[in-house]
Amino acid sequence: MKNIKTYLLSVATLIMLCFAACSKRLDITPPNNITDQQIADILASGDTSKIRLVFRGMANNMPLLFNNAGGTGSGVADMYYTNQGLDVNRSLEGNDMILGDQEGLNTLWGAVEYQLGDFISPASGKNVTYWNYAWFCITAANQMLEYFTDELLAADPLLKDFKARGLVIRAYGYNYLMENYQDAYLQGGNSKLGIMLYDNFDPMQPNKPRATAEETYTFIKNDLNTALTLLGEAGIGYTANTADIDLGVVNFLLARVSVWTGDWPTAITACNGILDNYSTLMSQEQYGGKNTSTTAVPEYLPETNGFLNNAQNPEVILGFPLGQANTHFTTYMNCFGEGNGGVSRAYKRIDNRLFEKIDADDYRRDCFSETALGNYSYPAAGTVAFIPSYTNVKYAATHPLGGTDKKQVGASTAFYMRASEVLLMKAEAEAKGVSEDAAKTTLNKLLAARTRTGATTTLTCDNYTAMAGMSALEMVQLQTRIELWGEGGREFYNNKRWNIPVDRTSSANHVTKTTYPVSSMTLKIPENEMLYNPLAQQND
Amino acid sequence: MKRKLLLMLSFCLCVCVSAIAQKQVSGRVTDGSGEPLAGVTVTVKGTGASTSTAQDGTFQITVAERSVLVFSYVGFSTREVTTGNQANISVQLSEVQSDMDTLLVIGYGTARKKDYTGSVTAVNSKMISTQANSTVTRALEGVVPGIQVSSIDGQPGLDMGIRLRGAGSASQNSSNALIVIDGVPTEYPNALASINPKDIASISVLKDAASTAVYGSRGANGVLLVTTKKGTKGRTNISLDTRMGYNYLGNLRFDLIRDAKDIYEHAWLAIYNSARYGVNGSSSTDGRFTTNVQTPNMSHEDAANFASAHLFDYTGSNTNFARNLLGNWMLYDVPGAIYTPSKIGSDSSATMSGAFLVNPDGKLNPNARLLYGAGSYEDYFFERMFRQEHTLTASGGSDKVDYFASIGMLEDPSYIRGSKFKRYNVRSNVNAQLTDWLKIGANMGYSFRNTQSPATRFGRNPGTVQQNAFRWANGQNQLIPLFARDQQGNIIKNPDGTNRVHDNVGVSYSPLGITSGPLYTTDLIKLLDNDIDNRESHDLNLKGYATINFLKELSFTANISYDRFSENRLRYGTSQTGVVKDIGALGRTYMNTGVFNTQQLLNWNKNFGVHAITALAGHEYYEWNSDLLNYNSANLLVDDFLGYGNFVARYNSSGAPFSAPGGSIDKTAMESYFGRVAYNYDDKYFLEGSARRDGSSKFRYEENRWGTFWSIGAGWRLSGEKFMEGTSNWLNDLKLRASYGVIGNQSGIGNYSGYQIWSYGAVYTTTNNGTGTPASFTLSQGGFVNKSLTWENTHTFDAGIDFSIWNRRINGSIDYYDKNTVNSVFAQPIARSLGQTSLVLNSATVKNRGIEVELNIDVIRNQNFRWNIGLNGTHYRTILMKVPESVKSAALGGKFTADIDGWGIANGGATSGGQIMYLRGEGMDYYNLYLYKYAGVDQTTGLPLFHHTVTEADHTNGRFTGDKIGAIVSTTNYTLADRYSMGSAIPKWIGGFTTSLQYKNFDFMAILAYQIGGKFLSVEYANHLYRSGNIGNALSKELLGNTWTPENTGAKFPMTFYGDTYYTGGSTHGSWQYSDMALFDASYLNIKNITLGYNFSSRIADKIRAKNLRVYASADNIAMFTSHSGIDPRMSLVGGMEVGAAVYLPMSTMSVGLNVNF
């Protein structure tokens, strides 16, 4: 017995020793995720194809930030969690878009924005989402850019393309901040503060104060110009792929920044570069939704609508294909949709004052239903709702793109930059920096493309009824409002830089007839930044 | 000399004879209610001989004449009985939780409370099993001083969060108490829900350094030791415990406007106000924040007539009318009414004339005849559900082997449709003394759990979604009936004779126009019946050990355990209604969690004279593995058929809240060395020290991986001193004790701290999403990694006094504690422009300081009547002591803001980061709420006023120039509203009250829990019930007669305007922008359990050959008294914002039961 006892004790001691003092068992690497060590191993491997794969993977994220959901909050299907939703909110904060058709619909998504409630105070949740989205872009770009050393770029020119993408996104983020968080450059913003400039990602680094507006735009333009150079060296020009960052995208941003800052020559040069490659504009057939069936049972097919199907839109410079594209914009704008553009009655309608300025021979007038579309049975729930007059059919679809099931309505492509806006930016730059005639010549190209089939005369600046007596700049402004109605919140931003306040008092169909000054279109720096960046200075 | 020798021989002979003259004594031990107590240790005083009682409470032991038997049992008073001449002894032990003689289960061993220097509360099995809970966690509330439990919902079968002595870390998620089941730490969220409470012998709650240091890095937040039952020597005892009853929603309900008359009259007032005083129907939206109260738009008469005529078609305009938020719901027949259509189409409605529903005096037309009542959802969906629970146990043993086995089943559905819980469990615990030096044993448990939760979203917070029945019952317009109504108000029938649900616009009749749809275009009955969120869990606990005794005082024990939790989760969204109507969606999740643990323990016990030393040295290895596989699909062919072959969509859940296909693997490990030495001098002076060194895989780098934690404790039993002999007539025991130690915590550390994680993804398009082939790949770097993160260290001091007086009729303990976590893992806020909004560092110091009091009183104690009262309470504060300078915001005077602190283990809570909820600063309460402050009603406009602190910028812009900078003013301009400190969310006092009575064969027990102070923000009230103009939503009854008008200037609530101009209610002025209007006192009193039992006489029990037979009736969660209707402050321990709206309140239970022992 004693032997057994000794034996068991020995075994127990052995067991104890086996389980003891083996710190190696505590070396557990993440079993489910790729780690920095694995990435470092690839980068140190000398395997060019693998290294490119890593950098390409990082760079592929960059264009997706133009098509972002979830960067500003925890959800995706919300007007504040997607860049498309943020843009729609901006569109509701102007003169030209109406939300719904009656008072008492205050619970609609966008009601606060439409009623011009508080969206600029530092603590407002309707402010900070814009701040977060832009910094989300800047941070992602900075995280990537750290990896692109000069040595690497010298060794592999292909990587220049990848670096350029990061620079473009960073410029985009900073420009987005400037559009929202400072007065427009040409309206006094040039002498004010810009944004704190970070060119690397390190949350431990000291806070920075806001740079001046001048410094900020220098930074933005430098990023864009460097990107142009890098893309050129990498052999990237104007690509057929609308979902990548190419010369078209960089020049578009450069043009946008240039017209904002009054750099007319650069704007014209950038626009010309794009227009040389995007000379074809949408046709009447491609422009907006068309009812291919009866009034009682309408059918608007997205396949033929260039705003919902990039394949039918030769103007798209930056856009994303079906499946990859966020479709929240379509959800908010489509009156036949099952979400916040349709069945919930949050119809997006045009101000009658703008509608009446659209020439009878201008087919863009067909993008809005002057009379009520009437009752429509929304198929998912079988709910019938009344679609009122002046509702847009620019983004109307009763079916999903690529499908026939009406309950799946909403599937579409997405676009963010298109050639018509380039024409308008060029015309504006010419009106300001070259001559009125040059601007009109450019504008006429757009008007010609927008002239209704069968019209007796092609529309021009001189025969467009509503433009009689207008300056070239005013013509550009009017045509921009018509052409870009509902797109990218541009009316809000343009109102800011053109110093046009919101004044809906003379509208016949606005639900909330109110006014809003340009001075209140500049957002305050959000609370978080003011509290935890002691160097941050609030806007006046 | 010879005589002396003879005397000595005679004496020795007597001694020998007396030693030889031994006899066998048998008996039975019962508790206060007459139930047998199994496992009671029976010791012959002075000899060390002992035995324990069998399952039926009986024992046998051989003793000398006039021996003293000592009966001791965890959670009961120890009794000493002199045997005398009796051969049979009946002993009744009284249940006392803090008796000095209580035997305590402590870390890796046991100790007598009398000797112990640590702070431990023991909970006995009766306290646990009396209550009708699916998880033992709920039973602890109010019973253990210092404990708080919380759950975001009332779903049975899912566990709660447990917190001891406050939040010891900088976030709730890293402040959870450690749960140890039969010696093995568990980190599975529902571990306690997997155990049948009737299998639990005792729970020890370890609180201070002396008791928790042996758990080292996991002990800082306290430890719950759960010990399951084991067999005892004696003949087999078979016990049946069966209980049946029903679950229901108790008295805790929102006091809503549910009377149709009140709803209409309130709507009338809102329309009247809008028409007469509104700017375009409401407050101005042009930045002036005013109304036309001073210059009314029309006369009283005109406005009153207007409101009566346009009750159903006023939408904010005086000229353009359409169906309004009342949705054309006309629940009355109004004789003489003429309905003139005001609009055609889907939003058609009518203007009333001839006779009104609400007359121009604002009162319901007395001639109106009610066709059907409002509020039908609550009537239908809050049901009484049958509950049953049965447990059969068998136990017994011989000198060498003891065994315990149990099987049990529980069916515990909630009162809400779509919620069920079932559990089947089996347990077997066998121990065998193979030789005098070798003992082995195995404890195995298996549990099958099936939980059907309302199929809302992935977390447990039900939220404002259409699958949440509470959102409907407590949220939607109460006029909308569940079943469609015809012109006469009768329920419309389907062709098959069933009631037709009003699930869309126009299904019901209205003389005004098309009736509005319900909250969502959904048949809620069908949705709750057919949607599935089912968790089927198989829990396996395997434990085995061997103990070898050697060298007299030494023993070596090797434990090995493996726990396996396998959960299959099925999610299904029906194709017949709801969010995936016509499509259907399927989701499945397979998750396995395995916990391997092995311990090697060396124990040494040595007594020499008045000195006693016990020592423990041990090693432990712990490994936790988890893997998860997730699948989803959509687009079915056959309704409600859940086969995989019935779904075709790939990577598409079509709006259902199911995760995309994927999986995860996780693994962590810990290695530990520990020891403890306890010294006892003459049962008067006690010293104890323990230390533990832990290594954790959570830390990537060797230099941060290992931590050493320790404690020392001392005790002094004054009552054992000679100078206290004079008090012995009233003071039975008095002990002072104190301990200090440094305990660790790694809960706030991620599983792979120090590793920079990369996300590898893909971009798909429609053409390749079906095949899953990426169009391109993406790779992105994760957030910032702090490579120097290390263990939190909590310096814990505890001083306590234990006493027992007046023949042990009053027992009690008082403790003072101070827990100081000096390097808490703290997500310190940083500016977003630095790339993220917080930085995790070991940079905060958080202190929890408090007192605990526990008292047990035997008020009456005689043969026929026993009455015991137990009281306990605690007060503590959680204070932030130190933060880095960079956190201190100059704009906030050196303080800083903090976001919502959702608690994962309490299963949910809002996770919306970036929403400010607290203002923090050094020396301040950690959970100091920071909200906008409602300042009453502006008497010139009727609008809500908010507090604002005047700034220099105000003066620059010409605002409040008459007030000094820094002055607090009130304004209707909500964009200027400032947040203010609202005080700590933590209650001033938390505690419980228990009482038990026994009179002859009757027994009675009551358990109450309470809380005094603290604050609870009700998002339900703020977002919905107080938004007075939103008459399309349910509203609080408090609004009736209490909204401001020029004639009712003392009203609490602002003027009500038709429609919801989101800030005119005063409780919020935007998303997450809450004022203190819905901030309520978090005090409550909950009657947790009342049980009345009756023990049949042995004569009746004998008829069924039972040893005893008891019947009882029991009520759980029978009443809840709170400061406000419908709020349950237990849902949050930190202020309530994370709870959200549309809450799932805990259920109540009424049951009757039977205990029988054979």
Side-chain angles (χ1 to χ4, degrees), chain A residues 41-95:
Chain A
D41 290 345
I42 291 175
L43 297 181
S45 68
D47 182 339
T48 308
S49 65
K50 279 272 187 186
I51 293 170
R52 279 185 182 175
L53 201 61
V54 168
F55 284 116
R56 190 189 303 279
M58 293 160 69
N60 282 344
N61 280 313
M62 297 297 113
L64 300 179
L65 293 163
F66 286 114
N67 185 45
N68 178 260
T72 58
S74 55
V76 289
D78 186 285
M79 288 187 77
Y80 304 101
Y81 299 153
T82 72
N83 63 329
Q84 294 182 349
L86 296 177
D87 285 347
V88 173
N89 284 336
R90 286 287 176 262
S91 294
L92 289 167
E93 292 159 351
N95 284 306

Side-chain angles (χ1 to χ4, degrees), chain B residues 637-774:
Chain B
L637 177 65
V638 181
D639 285 345
D640 300 332
F641 171 52
L642 272 55
Y644 290 106
N646 192 34
F647 295 85
V648 293
R650 292 177 178 173
Y651 315 113
N652 176 20
S653 59
S654 299
F658 307 153
S659 291
S664 67
I665 307 166
D666 278 296
K667 181 177 180 180
T668 63
M670 275 189 70
E671 179 148 27
S672 312
Y673 303 91
F674 51 90
R676 178 174 56 211
V677 178
Y679 168 69
N680 173 348
Y681 176 79
D682 199 20
D683 279 352
K684 286 192 293 190
Y685 307 108
F686 311 98
L687 272 177
E688 187 167 321
S690 57
R692 180 163 175 137
R693 184 159 173 78
D694 280 336
S696 170
S697 69
K698 284 188 168 186
F699 301 101
R700 180 180 184 179
Y701 299 101
E702 186 72 25
E703 59 267 29
N704 304 325
R705 183 174 286 169
W706 289 88
T708 303
F709 312 97
W710 56 272
S711 75
I712 52 169
W716 177 24
R717 197 152 71 89
L718 280 84
S719 53
E721 298 288 355
K722 282 191 176 173
F723 63 80
M724 294 291 285
E725 280 178 354
T727 63
S728 60
N729 58 334
W730 62 274
L731 180 67
N732 307 107
D733 251 315
L734 178 65
K735 188 177 76 173
L736 301 178
R737 53 182 164 74
S739 69
Y740 180 78
V742 177
I743 323 294
N745 182 26
Q746 61 166 351
S747 303
I749 310 291
N751 283 348
Y752 316 105
S753 152
Y755 285 95
Q756 177 75 66
I757 301 294
W758 288 68
S759 295
Y760 180 50
V763 175
Y764 301 98
T765 65
T766 297
T767 52
N768 59 25
N769 199 23
T771 63
T773 305

Side-chain angles (χ1 to χ4, degrees), chain B residues 851-915:
Chain B
I851 57 165
E852 286 170 5
V853 179
E854 190 176 11
L855 208 57
N856 271 281
I857 307 166
D858 279 343
V859 182
I860 299 171
R861 193 166 69 187
N862 61 46
Q863 188 66 31
N864 288 328
F865 193 16
R866 298 175 70 90
W867 179 23
N868 173 268
I869 293 173
L871 299 165
N872 73 75
T874 186
H875 162 79
Y876 75 89
R877 282 181 69 194
T878 304
I879 306 163
L880 181 67
M881 303 304 292
K882 194 178 164 196
V883 286
E885 288 301 310
S886 60
V887 177
K888 299 172 185 173
S889 169
L892 295 172
K895 302 178 182 67
F896 63 98
T897 58
D899 299 342
I900 287 176
D901 188 6
W903 195 11
I905 204 161
N907 291 301
T911 53
S912 299
Q915 310 302 341

